[in-house]
Amino acid sequence: MPTVLLERRPTAGSPLDGLDRVCSDHAHGVLLAVRHLVDLGHGAPLLMARADSPTAVAVRSGYAEALAVLGLRAPQDVIDSVPAELAPDAFEQAVRALREAVLSGVATAALIHNDVDAIQVVQRLAELGVRVPEDLALIAYDDEVAALADTPLTAVAPPKREVGRHATELLVERLGQSADEPRRHLTLLPQLRVRDSCGARLR
């Protein structure tokens, strides 16, 4: 039966690795974000990220790769992010860790996965006296609702619609082909959508 994986990268050499797949290049998306912040004059940004999905794992590994490519060192360990509605105490701890990093001068920029979390982080930081982008330049990862924030968030936008379209087209194509046709691994590049939260528009 023809099968196409979406946004999944199985272990190299595993049976699933031989299937067709269509994915976003999240490492490229993270590199776009980190490079943009560095070009604005910031040092290596902090990463606040979840660890509960393949995209979250890819963002974390992409962050390490991006720092290596740019010759940077992480200002501190990744701040573990959790949904505020599911774990309010852990969310508050993460926000306060980010606030402390800003106030102590450890970092002036951050990348947050995902943009729902980022909006809530910005709101809570404001209550704690840290302003975005004046005190902290911020980029969100996902761009589902980033533009709707009170301060519209610059965001990395994975090409989700295009991933779905290419996967559907590939699956339909496979239905009319023989089983010995070569499998395909198609990778699509995210885009960086610049808005107000990184301060670029204020320069």
Side-chain angles (χ1 to χ4, degrees):
M1 179 177 295
T3 303
V4 179
L5 300 179
L6 278 77
E7 296 290 19
R8 296 294 184 271
R9 294 178 182 269
T11 303
S14 69
L16 292 178
D17 192 39
L19 296 176
D20 290 308
R21 69 172 180 251
V22 183
C23 298
S24 300
D25 189 340
H26 296 298
H28 179 79
V30 174
L31 179 59
L32 290 177
V34 173
R35 178 176 283 146
H36 182 70
L37 291 168
V38 171
D39 288 346
L40 290 174
H42 299 280
L46 277 172
L47 175 64
M48 176 185 284
R50 294 189 184 186
D52 59 355
S53 72
T55 298
V57 173
V59 167
R60 285 171 173 258
S61 63
Y63 174 69
E65 292 177 20
L67 295 182
V69 167
L70 298 174
L72 301 171
R73 295 182 61 182
Q76 68 176 50
D77 292 340
V78 175
I79 298 174
D80 295 325
S81 177
V82 292
E85 63 276 9
L86 297 181
D89 291 343
F91 175 79
E92 179 69 13
Q93 182 179 354
V95 173
R96 288 184 177 274
L98 180 56
R99 174 180 180 268
E100 178 59 30
V102 174
L103 296 182
S104 65
V106 168
T108 59
L111 172 65
I112 299 182
H113 173 271
N114 56 39
D115 55 347
V116 173
D117 289 357
I119 289 174
Q120 294 174 318
V121 167
V122 170
Q123 292 172 340
R124 183 64 183 127
L125 283 176
E127 294 169 354
L128 295 171
V130 174
R131 303 164 300 164
V132 172
E134 292 86 352
D135 303 316
L136 177 70
L138 188 146
I139 295 180
Y141 199 99
D142 230 10
D143 204 31
E144 290 285 348
V145 293
L148 303 179
D150 291 339
T151 299
L153 304 182
T154 295
V156 177
K160 296 180 180 182
R161 288 182 180 274
E162 290 77 10
V163 166
R165 176 171 60 82
H166 282 287
T168 301
E169 292 173 351
L170 180 54
L171 186 60
V172 170
E173 183 179 338
R174 287 296 183 217
L175 292 173
Q177 292 179 335
S178 64
D180 59 354
E181 287 289 330
R183 303 297 97 181
R184 299 181 198 168
H185 291 171
L186 178 61
T187 303
L188 306 181
L189 301 183
Q191 295 178 318
L192 181 67
R193 294 176 178 161
V194 178
R195 301 187 182 101
D196 296 338
S197 65
C198 61
R201 292 185 177 181
L202 303 180
R203 290 172 177 258

